[in-house]
Amino acid sequence: KAGVTQTPRYLIKTRGQQVTLSCSPISGHRSVSWYQQTPGQGLQFLFEYFSETQRNKGNFPGRFSGRQFSNSRSEMNVSTLELGDSALYLCASSQTGFEAFFGQGTRLTVV
Amino acid sequence: DAKTTQPTSMDCAEGRAANLPCNHSTISGNEYVYWYRQIHSQGPQYIIHGLKNNETNEMASLIITEDRKSSTLILPHATLRDTAVYYCIVIEFGNEKLTFGTGTRLTIIP
């Protein structure tokens, strides 16, 4: 079956702009989680959605938001981009209680 | 904060068994031990998980001590493609929030 698909793979944005990243989970998976990976902070949990509801949230400012659609596809949005938001953003899907499957990520560069 | 402690880096000769330790001394009774790995610039990949019994799958074996305060991931015949950062994670069943520590950077030496 198809894996987790994230689009776009690479993105360059300017400070102050906003960005939307997309994640299509594995068919049948209702949980979608988002992570940020930077060289300094490592892999950090952003939030998790299950059946269109945010179920878990990490310690990120309100500029980071997300949503999930009825088909389980998810988007995350970052507003008012800062240089420090440059990172690899990873999406993972799972069936509750089972292992998470990660996408290849979206590499965001803020200039 | 991550609830696990792992060595920062390890080397292993190609073809030998790679044994990656993990300490999780504060693990609670309903928490599982999961292992993931991340090959450079790719998303993390699930390897194996266990509660208290030893587990084996096509990728690796997981040995959990009787007191569950530590575990060892064993890659039986390491290849160059096993070079990656390996993360040991302790998590409650049904909790989808993975807390990654710094992991162990495993380098397989030809």
Side-chain angles (χ1 to χ4, degrees):
Chain A
K1 54 184 176 183
V4 178
T5 303
Q6 292 188 245
T7 56
R9 290 292 310 279
Y10 302 92
L11 206 50
I12 299 175
K13 289 286 188 179
T14 304
R15 271 182 302 174
Q17 287 186 311
Q18 74 165 14
V19 67
T20 299
L21 311 182
S22 180
C23 173
S24 293
I26 291 172
S27 178
H29 288 189
R30 294 166 64 188
S31 171
V32 174
S33 300
W34 288 89
Y35 294 81
Q36 181 197 65
Q37 186 170 29
T38 60
Q41 298 297 319
L43 267 160
Q44 293 188 290
F45 174 82
L46 279 156
F47 30 66
E48 181 226 351
Y49 285 85
F50 181 84
S51 292
E52 302 179 65
T53 301
Q54 188 179 86
R55 191 163 66 170
N56 254 315
K57 189 176 186 307
N59 297 321
F60 279 81
R63 300 186 297 107
F64 292 82
S65 63
R67 60 177 175 169
Q68 186 180 36
F69 302 95
S70 58
N71 62 358
S72 292
R73 190 177 70 85
S74 178
E75 290 181 345
M76 69 162 281
N77 184 77
V78 188
S79 62
T80 319
L81 283 165
E82 302 176 359
L83 295 179
D85 297 333
S86 294
L88 179 67
Y89 289 89
L90 290 156
C91 164
S93 79
S94 65
Q95 296 173 287
T96 300
F98 293 86
E99 65 270 24
F101 292 84
F102 284 80
Q104 293 291 76
T106 294
R107 185 163 296 281
L108 171 66
T109 302
V110 182
V111 298
Chain B
D1 290 333
K3 298 173 66 174
T4 62
T5 303
Q6 300 177 250
T8 303
S9 63
M10 293 180 63
D11 293 339
C12 179
E14 187 178 16
R16 303 295 294 269
N19 295 273
L20 291 88
C22 178
N23 285 322
H24 31 79
S25 57
T26 61
I27 192 169
S28 60
N30 61 345
E31 289 180 318
Y32 287 72
V33 179
Y34 274 75
W35 283 83
Y36 285 81
R37 72 180 182 184
Q38 187 175 26
I39 296 170
H40 183 62
S41 295
Q42 297 182 21
Q45 176 191 23
Y46 165 81
I47 301 173
I48 198 168
H49 75 278
L51 182 63
K52 52 184 176 182
N53 297 320
N54 297 337
E55 302 288 345
T56 296
N57 63 19
E58 65 278 5
M59 287 182 68
S61 294
L62 174 61
I63 309 297
I64 303 174
T65 58
E66 193 169 340
D67 63 7
R68 302 211 321 124
K69 293 185 176 182
S70 66
S71 60
T72 301
L73 177 74
I74 301 172
L75 308 178
H77 303 287
T79 71
L80 298 179
R81 288 180 296 180
D82 293 322
T83 292
V85 178
Y86 287 76
Y87 297 98
C88 169
I89 298 169
V90 165
I91 190 167
E92 280 184 10
F93 180 84
N95 183 353
E96 305 305 315
K97 177 182 176 181
L98 300 175
T99 301
F100 289 85
T102 53
T104 296
R105 184 172 298 277
L106 175 68
T107 302
I108 306 301
I109 309 297

